[in-house]
């Protein structure tokens, strides 16, 4: 028995990929569908989620809401949360033995498919040497060189352990470099769960109907200014009313955390111009779009180079990872080269670096993004 899970929009791009030659599709409403496709020979078998239901009921007593990330509880879409047992390629199997076709890709990291043989083989070899060193390893430099050569804005990079952590670091860096405190973010854009970003955010904050989050002090969000996405006039107004106070604009260059919203023609270019004109930095949050819209991310796809970039998901090949990078002058403000402190016990750990290296090698192969772009037609069928 096979089912398909379609998570396009809502809290992510799902399986959506585009090549540099493929136009981005128009905005689509949030959807999450489970479609059953039962072969004739399996008609006698009943589709059941009994074990998943039992596991979820037990988990409710162990973890808040029974999960470790809110969207997994299915509250915004309804239905029974599904407990997965194994994955391979484009297929998933739950603990009840049901098979699914996966269009979500673990919310982005599994761009080359789950449990890729080459990635697993490389991880097995790396694990023989250890899982965490607490000191530098060559793999960090290998992945750093790959990221720097691919992403137009990045001359130096700092690896962290999540997209949230990357956005936390890049915000502190922008404030350090400019000597200013205020930032502009866009309504519906999600940049992780750090306090300054939980203002009119997307992702689970939006799908759960939470306008912000309790526990976030007003002081931590007082410097966060918001504007509607694609509204350049609103951004101009914010700069005019906060002269010399805005450190940076941070945005998803193509929004994937509150539905799927593409930038209007010239919007990104206008934003870029405004930051230069006002002495602010432009930050692209490419945790979702990085190495997805093209090998060089959305900035390569749209031809707009920001000052700083955050990355995650794909560059870890399915393991926890994040990164932020930019021009050398800005990045040398980061400790120990400069005064802005940021650290992490598992940052740059050999397993995440290995999975990232192997994934980027696969993505760099000729024809990869042309192939990924051609898959857009499959999504139009849904």
């Amino acid at each position: 028995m096979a089912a398909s899970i379609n998570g396009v929009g809502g809290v992510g791009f799902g399986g959506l990929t585009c090549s540099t030659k493929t136009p981005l599709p128009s905005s689509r409403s949030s959807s999450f569908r489970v479609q059953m496709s039962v072969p004739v020979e399996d008609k006698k078998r009943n589709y059941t989620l009994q074990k998943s239901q039992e596991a979820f009921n037990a988990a409710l007593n162990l973890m808040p809401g029974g999960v470790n990330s809110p969207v997994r509880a299915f509250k915004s879409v309804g239905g029974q949360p599904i407990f997965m047992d194994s994955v391979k390629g484009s297929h998933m199997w739950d603990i009840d033995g049901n098979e699914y076709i996966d269009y979500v890709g673990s919310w982005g990291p599994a761009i080359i498919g789950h449990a890729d043989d080459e990635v697993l083989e490389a991880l097995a070899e790396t694990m023989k040497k250890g899982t965490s060193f607490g000191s530098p390893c060559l793999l960090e430099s290998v992945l750093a060189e790959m990221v720097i050569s691919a992403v137009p804005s990045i001359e130096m990079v700092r690896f962290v352990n999540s997209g949230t952590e990357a956005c936390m670091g890049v915000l502190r860096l922008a404030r350090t470099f400019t000597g200013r405190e205020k930032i502009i973010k866009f309504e519906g854009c999600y940049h992780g769960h750090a306090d300054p970003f939980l203002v009119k955010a997307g992702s689970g904050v939006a799908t759960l109907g939470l306008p912000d989050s309790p526990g976030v002090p007003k002081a931590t969000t007082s410097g966060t200014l918001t504007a509607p996405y694609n509204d350049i006039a609103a951004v101009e107004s914010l700069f005019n009313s906060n002269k010399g106070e805005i450190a940076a604009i941070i945005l998803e260059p193509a929004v994937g955390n509150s539905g799927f919203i593409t930038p209007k023609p010239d919007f990104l270019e206008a934003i870029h111009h405004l930051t230069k004109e006002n002495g602010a930095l432009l930050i692209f949050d490419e945790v979702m779009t990085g190495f997805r819209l093209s090998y060089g991310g959305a900035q390569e796809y749209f031809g707009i180079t920001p000052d700083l970039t955050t990355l995650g998901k794909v560059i870890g090949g399915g393991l926890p990872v994040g990164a932020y990078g930019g021009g050398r002058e800005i990045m040398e403000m980061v400790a120990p080269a400069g005064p802005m402190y940021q650290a992490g016990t598992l940052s740059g750990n050999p397993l995440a670096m290995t999975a990232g290296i192997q994934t980027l090698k696969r993505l760099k192969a000729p024809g990869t993004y042309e192939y990924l772009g051609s898959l857009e037609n499959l999504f139009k069928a849904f």
Side-chain angles (χ1 to χ4, degrees), residues 179-300:
R180 303 173 180 178
E181 293 189 4
K182 293 182 179 180
I183 61 165
I184 296 175
K185 73 174 290 291
F186 291 91
E187 297 170 9
C189 283
Y190 179 72
H191 307 293
H193 59 260
D195 287 0
F197 298 123
L198 289 181
V199 180
K200 297 184 179 179
S203 192
V205 180
T207 57
L208 288 175
L210 303 175
D212 297 288
S213 176
V216 177
K218 291 182 180 179
T220 63
T221 58
S222 61
T224 303
L225 311 174
T226 62
Y229 190 80
N230 275 324
D231 189 340
I232 194 64
V235 179
E236 290 176 336
S237 178
L238 289 174
F239 271 114
N240 289 334
S241 58
N242 296 272
K243 288 284 188 183
E245 298 181 87
I246 297 173
I249 294 178
I250 184 169
L251 76 160
E252 295 177 83
V255 181
N257 277 297
S258 53
F260 178 48
I261 308 171
T262 56
K264 291 180 179 178
D266 301 327
F267 173 68
L268 295 178
E269 185 176 350
I271 292 294
H272 188 229
H273 175 74
L274 278 175
T275 54
K276 296 299 181 187
E277 188 176 58
N278 289 276
L281 299 180
L282 177 60
I283 305 169
F284 274 10
D285 180 350
E286 295 228 43
V287 170
M288 294 184 68
T289 57
F291 293 92
R292 179 166 293 275
L293 296 189
S294 71
Y295 191 70
Q299 56 197 263
E300 179 184 71

Side-chain angles (χ1 to χ4, degrees), residues 123-159:
L123 283 172
E125 289 301 311
T126 298
M127 281 193 289
K128 292 177 183 178
K129 300 178 179 181
T131 59
S132 177
F133 302 148
S135 62
C137 69
L138 291 175
L139 293 168
E140 295 171 83
S141 295
V142 173
L143 186 56
E145 288 179 349
M146 296 177 79
V147 169
I148 290 168
S149 67
V151 183
S153 66
I154 297 182
E155 296 177 344
M156 300 185 81
V157 64
R158 167 60 62 88
F159 291 114

